[in-house]
Amino acid sequence: GVEIHCMNRHERPLKLDFLPYHFLLTTIGHSGWIKWHDVSIGEYVAGYATGFGPSRVLRHNPVNAVSHVGHSNGVVTLWSPSAGKALVSMFCHRAPVTDLAVDRAGTYMVTTGQDGFMKVWDLRTYAAVNTFQLDQPASCVDISDRGLVAVGVGRRV
């Protein structure tokens, strides 16, 4: 049969992310709260105020299931439902973060910002490995299973 869960505590979400091995739906929205919901039993797990306002950028690390949130002040914060505050806060851009991606091995993160830069970060040291200046700000970024980075800039990839 069909099972339906009512998720009232996720007000006006802007971005959804699913953690497949944990059956957790993660949301971030207008309230600036990151929230986790267990879809296997329909229970709310946890929710924390990020302290940086609304966000449209949310991805997870496929290795450790840590959620990465990009904010409008250029900061990327890393979250876990078992911690009451951000695990890590990284100042990545001088403008809002437009998108981010984490590679399959969970070692590298790529961020793009309104400042027109794309940066590659080593998640073991939280240091920038490479910085690339783009023609204009990127709208989206992703990393393939082979480690190739795709960046959407305007009408081009």
Side-chain angles (χ1 to χ4, degrees):
V2 175
E3 189 172 335
I4 298 174
H5 301 290
C6 185
M7 298 185 283
N8 294 341
R9 297 177 90 170
H10 300 267
E11 308 94 15
R12 297 174 21 183
L14 294 172
K15 190 72 173 183
L16 306 173
D17 191 24
F18 182 66
L19 306 175
Y21 299 112
H22 300 84
F23 291 99
L24 291 177
L25 178 68
T26 309
T27 63
I28 187 85
H30 283 282
S31 63
W33 280 63
I34 183 168
K35 299 178 181 184
W36 291 267
H37 198 100
D38 188 334
V39 297
S40 64
I41 58 174
E43 292 292 320
Y44 179 80
V45 175
Y48 307 112
T50 62
F52 295 113
S55 176
R56 296 185 187 284
V57 181
L58 173 66
R59 292 279 184 102
H60 74 274
N61 186 325
V63 173
N64 57 18
V66 170
S67 296
H68 297 235
V69 180
H71 300 283
S72 60
N73 61 352
V75 172
V76 172
T77 52
L78 281 58
W79 294 86
S80 171
S82 60
K85 60 180 183 174
L87 302 171
V88 175
S89 291
M90 300 171 59
F91 183 69
C92 295
H93 293 275
R94 295 180 186 268
V97 177
T98 56
D99 202 8
L100 65 85
V102 180
D103 76 322
R104 181 178 211 140
T107 309
Y108 297 100
M109 175 178 70
V110 177
T111 61
T112 57
Q114 281 293 112
D115 56 2
F117 286 96
M118 178 180 77
K119 297 183 181 182
V120 180
W121 299 87
D122 188 337
L123 291 175
R124 298 167 295 189
T125 61
Y126 302 109
V129 177
N130 278 313
T131 301
F132 303 94
Q133 185 160 13
L134 306 171
D135 296 337
Q136 57 186 343
S139 58
C140 55
V141 65
D142 209 352
I143 304 172
S144 75
D145 290 343
R146 299 186 125 202
L148 300 174
V149 177
V151 183
V153 179
R155 299 176 65 179
R156 296 175 293 145
V157 177

